[in-house]
Amino acid sequence: MKVVLKLYASLTDYLPQQGRDQRHHVDLEVPSDATVSAVIERFQLPPRSVHLVLVNGLYIEPGSRGTRKLSEGDHVAVWPPVAGG
């Protein structure tokens, strides 16, 4: 099945070049039982850099990411912690 992974800020460095050129997202083919964590791990994102995760605009708590299964067409968006003033 296909899903879309969107990475923001410093996490865009983990996308393949094609994804960096296409507004910081990449279309993925994943198994039908793929979880949010499986997609994150596939791109070897550092766990401490994965702060905010949304699936179709809904927040996924850290404890639920390993069990939250994805569906065809889901959009997974990931942000690192943000600092600034």
Side-chain angles (χ1 to χ4, degrees), residues 55-74:
V55 174
N56 302 326
L58 299 173
Y59 175 66
I60 307 298
E61 295 184 27
S64 300
R65 296 173 189 167
T67 57
R68 170 58 162 81
K69 293 194 178 183
L70 297 171
S71 298
E72 176 75 29
D74 278 351

Side-chain angles (χ1 to χ4, degrees), residues 28-63:
L28 300 176
E29 188 71 35
V30 298
S32 60
D33 62 347
T35 63
V36 173
S37 288
V39 170
I40 291 169
E41 290 166 6
R42 178 173 170 177
F43 285 85
Q44 300 177 346
L45 303 177
R48 63 187 246 193
S49 294
V50 176
H51 180 68
L52 178 65
V53 177
L54 304 178
V55 174
N56 302 326
L58 299 173
Y59 175 66
I60 307 298
E61 295 184 27

